[in-house]
């Protein structure tokens, strides 16, 4: 038996994070045992686990998804913990210790805010002497807008872009670093490089600067314990010196200019900086942002226009690192971009974002990278380089460092590439906030995009800690708006809030997190995001006639849908129908959360509200015989997926939706709202073959069109690039927009069939229900869930279906056998207690790996609708 994946708040050995009530989780594998019968968690002040401060005792109810110890935490303290697991086959194991370490918590600050007496990019320095060796040292630090800390010439930690992208007007995240190994007996130097970043550089719409502040500043406390136990602190104060930085300019959108020949003027004494209250400083929530992958570029080419262009071969977010020996004074210029046009450099779709990095060499060999920016790119135009070689460059992939949890492959290579592209979409856009895109002058936490993608995100990577920080920011923004949610979070000066599907991120994301990770404490925290948002819609409804519809306000609605009537970006489905649909949907999710948390009064309130909205929508939008007044694909999908259509008319709506596809030559017409649920709905309502047809379609509009066009990420538009290779538009056309990548949630849930279950969230129980289609012949996935690793792999060989599943320790799964006959299933496995339900055969199994092989029945008549499918 192996205990692995030990985490606190789903972070591995976190240091200096805001923990609140810490939730300890772990997983078990390499055992034939099926279940945990008891477990015991101990917490100690030492790695040897001798100085115990908490002992749960051996408990049958200890939950591996999130155990909350009854322990009051002290600031700046490391807690070691381990777990002993007892299993149903009498085996047991005890883990190696893991730890969590608190930050400053509520402790008052001794270090003060300091800044330079002049404006510009600054470097703050402090020299000091230590009389003897260091036993332990911790730095508690925050620099504004962005900072990098160096100790005796070495960068401290490998994180980039700290303190990240926050609603800085409400909270500023501080970081904790272990600097014990970098300090020496004798002379030491701390150096902090500062940049503008999101805090005060140009960001958001309309070229605004200084969104949150007008000066670079630093606050820190270095706590040192010397070898003999004496303590010493180095604080930010006016003993620090300020000099101008070789980073001559830096901006998130525009790039960075670094001058290695720059000779700063004489150092100036740092001055106190007033205006930032202590209450705003909060221990961090953001998972680390770092270089998570390094790619070798594909080639360096000369364009027809004579430019030298490096092709990375993959669109990424991050930067190029390069080595140079250029003579002193040489300016090297790198212009980052997404796509060649007519074989040449092209940047029109970046709008006002410059994405340029320059480096003025000082004649010394150097390895160069930018400090306070990042780029969305596949190509880089190189200027000033002589005889550039591929081996001088490295593509550094920068994102929030969270663990990948999905592997997928199938018989269709283009679908495999699509799956990779969706993964790249998450890597490229999970940079502290879930951004819409990483290249043009946006890169903001658009709520609608994040909401649509959140299920896929939870399949692909362990996303709980990442979204927990985003939802904390969201709550800050909601508190400023009586519960309403802005279009982007943090709001970075972008006006506007309360659009359906966008603001509903406040209910959809917390619910998805609970479904995937089963962390009840986190749901309790995020319940306020959910309730505040629904109550805001309710008040809006009350103020506009108490119709239990949401018939006012502006909504992005089915953004970028192809059925738009007037050429606008809003799609053809009435925005107030979609708004009312989300009023219903968000209330349903809130109700589910209230049930999970046992909030009796809220259960009553939202049960009633949900029923009233349902009635109102049915009255307003359905004819007595069941026709829907919104005859768009997205209209039908909302009614069926969000489940407010009259039960007795679902079959009719299914037929009408199928008819719509038939009339539109099997083409999807959906935008941001409809696309997220499109294939899932089709599979649920018996139009599974149609869902596969949409997935496999290689021409516009379809997911494989872009794959055929050589895309390495997901595009913003179904036709971002036209068949002749030209960009379809320059105004709003990104090649790395993950929203349509939401189709991967369907691939995971319905193609390979791995589903979370509401009654036992966190994959303590799963529903394994693949819906295969002969056109794919084979599909398989592994999913490292919160409860352990699931696998599902199927293959169709002539008429024989072979399906292998793995269920992790201490979990159960209900398997639904596709297109199976009872007689062929019986006897396949000794423990198979078959149940028949709604024409389908299922069985519930414990941990283990199981293979089933049986003849596939033909598809039902409805499932055969492939609707003019070209495949
Ligand atoms: C962004 C989107 C976003 C949308 C809202 C665009 O500019 O890139 O993805 O959700 O605006 O309308």
């Amino acid at each position: 038996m192996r205990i692995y994946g030990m985490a606190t708040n789903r972070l591995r050995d976190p240091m200096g994070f805001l923990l609140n009530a810490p939730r300890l989780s772990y997983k078990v594998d390499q055992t034939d045992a099926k279940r945990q019968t008891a477990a015991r968690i101990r917490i100690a002040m030492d790695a040897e686990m001798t100085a115990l401060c908490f002992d749960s005792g051996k408990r049958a109810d200890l939950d591996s998804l999130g155990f909350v110890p009854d322990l009051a935490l002290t600031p700046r303290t490391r807690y070691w913990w381990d777990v002993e697991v007892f299993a149903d086959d009498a085996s047991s194991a005890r883990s190696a210790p893991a730890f969590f370490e608190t930050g400053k918590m509520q402790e008052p600050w001794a270090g003060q805010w300091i800044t330079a007496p002049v404006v510009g990019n600054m470097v703050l320095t402090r020299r000091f002497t230590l009389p003897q060796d260091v036993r332990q040292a911790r730095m508690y630090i925050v620099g504004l807008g962005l900072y990098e800390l160096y100790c005796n010439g070495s960068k401290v930690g490998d994180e980039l872009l700290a303190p990240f992208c926050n609603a800085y007007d409400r909270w500023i995240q501080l970081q904790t670093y272990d600097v014990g190994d970098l300090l020496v007996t004798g002379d030491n130097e701390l150096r902090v490089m500062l940049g503008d970043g999101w805090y005060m550089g140009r960001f958001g719409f309309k070229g605004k600067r200084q969104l949150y502040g007008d000066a670079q500043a630093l606050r820190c406390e270095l706590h040192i314990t010397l070898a003999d136990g004496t303590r010493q602190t180095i604080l930010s104060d006016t003993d620090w010196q300020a000099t101008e930085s070789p980073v001559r300019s830096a901006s998130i959108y525009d790039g960075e200019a670094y001058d290695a020949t720059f000779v700063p003027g004489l150092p100036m004494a740092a001055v106190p900086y007033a205006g930032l209250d202590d209450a705003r400083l909060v221990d961090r929530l953001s998972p680390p942002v770092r270089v998570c992958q390094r790619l070798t570029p594909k080639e360096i080419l000369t364009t027809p226009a004579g430019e030298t262009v490096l092709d990375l071969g993959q669109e990424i977010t991050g930067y190029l690192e390069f080595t140079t020996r250029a003579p002193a004074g040489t300016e090297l210029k790198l212009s980052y971009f997404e796509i060649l046009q007519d074989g040449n450099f092209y940047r029109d779709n970046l709008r006002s974002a410059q994405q340029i990095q320059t480096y003025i060499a000082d004649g010394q060999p150097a390895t160069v990278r930018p400090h306070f920016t990042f780029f969305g790119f596949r190509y880089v135009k190189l200027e000033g380089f002589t005889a550039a070689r591929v081996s001088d460059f490295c593509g550094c992939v920068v994102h929030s460092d969270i663990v990948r949890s999905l592997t997928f492959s199938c018989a269709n290579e283009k679908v495999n590439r699509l799956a990779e592209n969706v993964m790249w979409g998450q890597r490229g856009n999970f940079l502290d906030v879930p951004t819409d895109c990483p290249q043009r002058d946006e890169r903001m936490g658009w709520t609608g995009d994040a909401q649509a993608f959140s299920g896929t995100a939870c399949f692909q990577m362990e996303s709980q800690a990442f979204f927990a920080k985003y939802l904390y920011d969201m709550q800050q923004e909601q508190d400023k708006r009586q519960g309403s949610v802005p279009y982007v979070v943090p709001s970075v000066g972008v006006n506007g809030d309360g659009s359906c599907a966008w603001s509903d991120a406040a209910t959809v994301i917390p619910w998805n997190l609970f479904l995937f990770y089963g962390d009840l404490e986190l749901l309790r925290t995020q319940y306020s995001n959910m309730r505040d948002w629904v109550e805001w819609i309710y008040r809006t409804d009350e103020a506009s006639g108490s119709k239990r519809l949401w018939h006012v306000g502006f909504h992005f609605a089915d953004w970028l849908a192809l059925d738009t009537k007037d050429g606008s970006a809003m799609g053809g489905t009435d925005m107030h129908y979609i708004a009312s649909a989300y009023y219903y949907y968000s209330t349903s999710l809130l109700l589910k959360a209230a049930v999970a948390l046992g909030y009796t009064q809220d259960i009553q309130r939202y049960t009633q509200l949900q029923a009233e909205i349902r009635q109102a929508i049915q009255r307003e939008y359905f004819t007595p015989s069941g026709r829907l007044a919104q005859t768009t694909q997205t209209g039908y999908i909302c009614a069926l997926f969000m489940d407010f259509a009259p039960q007795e008319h679902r079959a009719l709506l299914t037929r009408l939706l199928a008819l719509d596809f038939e009339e539109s030559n099997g083409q999807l017409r959906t935008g941001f709202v409809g696309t997220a649920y499109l294939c899932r709905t089709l599979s649920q309502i018996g139009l599974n073959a149609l869902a596969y047809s949409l997935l496999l379609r290689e021409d516009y509009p379809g997911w494989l069109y872009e794959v055929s066009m050589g895309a390495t990420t997901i595009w913003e538009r179904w036709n971002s690039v036209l068949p002749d290779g030209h960009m379809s538009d320059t105004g709003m056309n990104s090649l790395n927009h993950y929203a349509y990548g939401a189709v991967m949630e369907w691939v995971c849930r319905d193609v390979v069939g791995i589903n979370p279950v509401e009654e036992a969230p966190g994959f303590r129980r799963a529903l394994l229900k693949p819906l295969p289609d002969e056109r794919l012949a084979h599909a398989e996935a592994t999913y490292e869930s919160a409860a352990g690793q699931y696998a599902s792999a199927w293959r169709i060989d002539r008429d024989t279906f072979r399906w292998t599943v793995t269920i992790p320790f201490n979990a159960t799964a209900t398997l639904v056998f596709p297109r199976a006959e009872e007689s062929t299933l019986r006897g396949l496995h000794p423990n198979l207690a078959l149940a028949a339900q709604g024409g389908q055969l299922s069985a519930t199994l414990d941990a283990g790996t199981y293979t089933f092989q049986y003849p596939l029945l033909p598809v039902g008549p409805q499932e055969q609708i492939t609707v003019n499918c070209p495949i």
Side-chain angles (χ1 to χ4, degrees):
M1 180 188 292
R2 177 180 77 133
I3 299 173
Y4 73 106
M6 291 170 72
T8 306
N9 299 5
R10 301 255 154 231
L11 295 154
R12 311 269 184 271
D13 294 338
M15 218 168 73
F17 279 72
L18 177 64
L19 297 173
N20 295 323
R23 284 97 60 208
L24 307 177
S25 58
Y26 59 89
K27 304 189 224 185
V28 172
D29 67 359
Q30 298 175 7
T31 173
D32 292 332
K34 304 286 180 198
R35 279 171 202 280
Q36 172 181 297
T37 52
R40 176 178 183 181
I41 283 185
R42 278 171 270 223
I43 305 180
M45 308 309 291
D46 58 339
E48 294 70 41
M49 302 298 298
T50 50
L52 284 192
C53 57
F54 173 85
D55 187 347
S56 70
K58 187 172 167 182
R59 277 171 59 169
D61 64 344
L62 198 147
D63 184 2
S64 66
L65 291 176
F67 175 73
V68 186
D70 183 13
L71 174 71
L73 302 181
T74 311
R76 296 187 291 105
T77 306
R78 178 169 290 195
Y79 297 87
W80 295 90
W81 66 281
D82 70 7
V83 56
E84 201 173 351
V85 174
F86 304 87
D88 56 353
D89 65 350
S91 65
S92 70
R94 188 167 173 180
S95 73
F99 69 82
F100 58 90
E101 183 175 318
T102 54
K104 277 192 64 82
M105 298 175 65
Q106 311 295 329
E107 193 186 58
W109 276 81
Q112 55 179 300
W113 279 112
I114 54 170
T115 187
V118 295
V119 288
N121 285 336
M122 302 306 292
V123 179
L124 296 175
T125 314
R126 172 80 157 86
R127 295 204 171 80
F128 58 95
T129 310
L130 293 175
Q132 47 177 288
D133 283 355
V134 169
R135 189 195 293 170
Q136 176 184 300
R138 289 288 184 278
M139 177 62 115
Y140 303 90
I141 180 169
V142 64
L144 291 172
L146 299 173
Y147 75 95
E148 287 190 357
L149 166 66
Y150 294 79
C151 182
N152 294 327
S154 305
K155 182 171 181 315
V156 176
D158 56 1
E159 293 195 51
L160 300 169
L161 302 165
F164 320 116
C165 180
N166 320 306
Y168 286 101
D169 52 338
R170 304 285 290 206
W171 71 308
I172 299 171
Q173 302 191 70
L174 74 113
Q175 286 71 54
T176 301
Y177 299 108
D178 181 351
V179 291
D181 290 345
L182 295 173
L183 294 170
V184 292
T185 312
D187 292 341
N188 289 277
E189 186 203 56
L190 293 173
R191 195 155 53 88
V192 180
M193 290 173 72
L194 294 168
D196 289 348
W198 295 277
Y199 180 73
M200 55 180 287
R202 175 170 89 90
F203 199 70
F205 290 136
K206 301 187 187 142
K208 283 191 204 158
R209 285 169 199 279
Q210 304 193 337
L211 289 171
Y212 294 105
D214 60 5
Q216 295 181 356
L218 169 72
R219 194 162 198 185
C220 67
E221 288 183 16
L222 172 58
H223 292 246
I224 304 166
T225 310
L226 296 170
D228 68 357
T230 44
R231 289 168 193 245
Q232 197 169 327
T233 51
I234 305 291
L235 309 172
S236 50
D237 55 24
T238 47
D239 288 346
W240 286 63
Q241 300 276 304
T243 46
E244 288 171 87
S245 172
V247 175
R248 305 308 300 142
S249 67
S251 134
I252 300 280
Y253 292 155
D254 297 327
E256 181 169 304
Y258 189 99
D259 184 353
T261 66
F262 178 72
V263 183
L266 286 179
M268 301 157 268
V271 294
Y273 182 70
L276 289 168
D277 53 297
D278 283 12
R280 248 198 273 179
L281 276 181
V282 180
D283 288 325
R284 67 183 297 170
L285 277 174
S286 287
V289 172
R290 51 169 73 109
V291 174
C292 295
Q293 234 174 304
R294 299 170 77 85
L295 303 182
T296 305
K298 190 173 151 209
E299 58 181 327
I300 293 178
L301 42 95
T302 304
T303 68
E307 302 134 333
T308 304
V309 167
L310 178 142
D311 177 5
L312 194 57
Q314 170 64 51
E315 166 130 1
I316 67 163
T317 300
Y319 53 78
L320 278 188
E321 185 184 87
F322 61 92
T323 51
T324 178
R325 294 172 170 275
T330 314
E331 185 184 78
L332 305 174
K333 183 173 175 189
L334 301 90
S335 304
Y336 292 78
F337 66 107
E338 289 194 288
I339 187 170
L340 295 165
Q341 290 285 266
D342 301 317
N344 296 318
F345 170 70
Y346 169 87
R347 58 160 323 283
D348 293 1
N349 69 323
L350 306 176
R351 304 199 304 222
S352 74
Q354 294 304 309
Q355 288 220 118
I356 291 174
Q357 178 191 356
T358 59
Y359 177 79
I360 300 179
D362 62 358
Q364 299 299 313
T367 301
V368 181
R369 66 163 174 96
H371 303 78
F372 301 122
T373 190
F374 62 88
F375 308 99
F377 69 102
R378 169 174 169 170
Y379 298 94
V380 186
K381 182 168 75 167
L382 303 174
E383 292 169 277
F385 291 83
T386 39
R389 294 168 309 176
V390 162
S391 57
D392 295 337
F393 297 88
C394 172
C396 296
V397 182
V398 176
H399 56 87
S400 295
D401 193 4
I402 53 176
V403 180
R404 178 174 177 161
S405 44
L406 181 72
T407 65
F408 167 80
S409 73
C410 70
N412 183 313
E413 277 315 316
K414 287 191 175 172
V415 174
N416 290 341
R417 182 66 230 195
L418 174 74
E420 267 311 297
N421 291 359
V422 180
M423 187 67 81
W424 277 109
Q426 186 164 4
R427 291 190 188 111
N429 287 293
F430 266 39
L431 201 162
D432 198 52
V433 286
T435 57
D436 55 334
C437 56
Q439 72 299 79
R440 69 169 178 237
D441 50 2
E442 293 211 42
R443 316 185 191 189
M444 296 185 277
W446 280 99
T447 45
D449 310 44
Q451 177 270 115
F453 191 74
S454 58
T456 297
C458 292
F459 270 119
Q460 293 196 135
M461 293 186 187
E462 202 180 272
S463 300
Q464 174 172 309
F466 176 84
F467 277 130
K469 181 268 177 183
Y470 184 59
L471 289 165
Y472 185 94
D473 268 319
M474 192 180 290
Q475 184 71 62
Q476 303 304 313
E477 301 289 2
Q478 287 183 264
D479 289 349
K480 289 190 275 179
R481 295 170 178 78
Q482 292 79 46
S484 183
V485 181
Y487 301 157
V488 303
V489 170
S491 69
V492 294
V494 174
N495 288 328
D497 60 83
S499 160
C500 75
W502 269 247
S503 301
D504 295 286
T507 50
V508 173
I509 300 177
W511 183 250
N512 268 338
L513 291 185
F514 183 60
L515 211 50
F516 279 82
Y517 303 106
D519 186 338
L520 197 66
E521 275 313 305
L522 187 67
L523 185 68
R524 204 185 304 284
T525 306
Q526 295 171 346
Y527 188 75
S528 59
N529 293 94
M530 305 178 84
R531 192 193 46 216
D532 293 357
W533 168 237
V534 169
E535 288 295 335
W536 186 89
I537 314 176
Y538 174 77
R539 287 198 305 278
T540 307
D541 166 20
E542 285 292 87
S544 55
S546 308
K547 296 194 195 112
R548 299 299 169 259
L549 299 169
W550 189 4
H551 270 190
V552 293
F554 164 80
H555 301 276
F556 293 111
D558 201 19
W559 186 248
L560 295 188
L562 300 176
D563 53 9
T564 177
K565 292 179 189 81
D566 51 8
S568 85
M570 318 292 292
T573 311
D574 177 59
M575 68 163 80
H576 290 124
Y577 166 77
I578 297 182
S580 302
Y582 270 97
Y583 186 12
Y584 178 81
Y585 188 49
S586 273
T587 306
S588 318
L589 298 182
L590 174 61
L591 176 57
K592 287 180 188 194
V595 171
L597 291 162
Y599 293 164
T600 334
Q601 280 189 353
D602 283 10
I603 295 173
Q604 257 180 26
R605 170 166 173 70
Y606 298 120
T607 306
Q608 192 184 334
L609 181 60
Q610 186 197 30
E612 287 175 13
I613 304 169
R614 188 186 175 92
Q615 241 179 33
I617 296 182
Q618 291 188 357
R619 211 180 308 120
E620 179 80 12
Y621 291 104
F622 289 88
T623 65
S625 54
R627 281 176 185 275
L628 181 60
Q630 293 292 311
T631 54
T632 59
Q633 292 173 0
T634 295
Y636 291 118
I637 285 157
C638 286
L640 292 161
F641 182 82
M642 297 176 183
D643 204 19
F644 53 75
Q647 274 310 319
E648 64 277 22
H649 297 315
R650 284 180 69 89
L652 170 65
L653 295 173
T654 301
R655 282 203 302 280
L656 291 170
L657 176 57
L659 198 67
D660 180 285
F661 273 99
E662 221 165 85
E663 283 169 3
S664 53
N665 193 25
Q667 285 189 11
L668 60 83
R669 327 283 304 152
T670 50
F672 269 39
V673 168
T675 305
Y677 314 124
L678 175 61
C679 289
R680 283 181 68 193
T681 310
L682 294 176
S683 288
Q684 265 174 28
I685 61 177
L687 297 177
N688 189 50
L690 175 56
Y692 273 82
S693 299
L694 295 176
L695 174 76
L696 296 173
R697 188 180 183 111
E698 296 197 13
D699 57 357
Y700 165 82
W703 282 277
L704 297 191
Y705 167 65
E706 52 191 80
V707 172
S708 306
M709 291 294 292
T712 61
T713 36
I714 300 296
W715 295 343
E716 182 170 17
R717 294 168 178 269
W718 291 111
N719 65 346
S720 283
V721 183
L722 300 170
D724 66 5
H726 286 116
M727 293 291 280
S728 61
D729 184 10
T730 55
M732 205 182 64
N733 201 355
S734 125
L735 301 186
N736 194 359
H737 237 73
Y738 59 39
Y740 291 158
V743 70
M744 262 324 269
E745 185 172 358
W746 169 73
V747 170
C748 293
R749 283 173 174 269
D750 296 303
V751 175
V752 281
I754 301 177
N755 288 276
V757 172
E758 283 180 21
E759 301 74 46
F763 282 87
R764 178 66 69 224
R765 205 162 86 219
L767 173 67
L768 301 181
K769 188 184 175 191
L771 295 170
D773 184 292
E774 275 75 355
R775 285 169 290 175
L776 214 49
H778 159 72
E780 64 179 272
T782 61
Y783 175 54
E784 184 61 51
S785 81
Q789 187 166 104
Y790 284 88
S792 170
W794 57 257
R795 182 175 292 282
I796 302 172
D797 196 357
R798 297 209 184 89
D799 289 339
T800 305
F801 183 67
R802 190 182 156 86
W803 183 27
T804 302
V805 300
T806 300
I807 303 161
F809 173 76
N810 206 26
T812 56
T814 299
L815 281 63
V816 179
F817 298 93
R819 292 156 56 187
E821 206 164 41
E822 192 165 351
S823 58
T824 59
L825 282 183
R826 208 157 278 299
L828 279 182
H829 194 275
N831 298 337
L832 210 59
L834 284 175
Q837 214 186 33
Q840 292 182 309
L841 293 163
S842 66
T844 298
L845 294 171
D846 282 333
T849 294
Y850 309 84
T851 296
F852 306 93
Q853 187 167 319
Y854 59 88
L856 264 190
L857 290 178
V859 284
Q862 199 174 29
E863 278 191 52
Q864 282 167 6
I865 306 177
T866 51
V867 196
N868 291 333
C869 164
I871 292 136

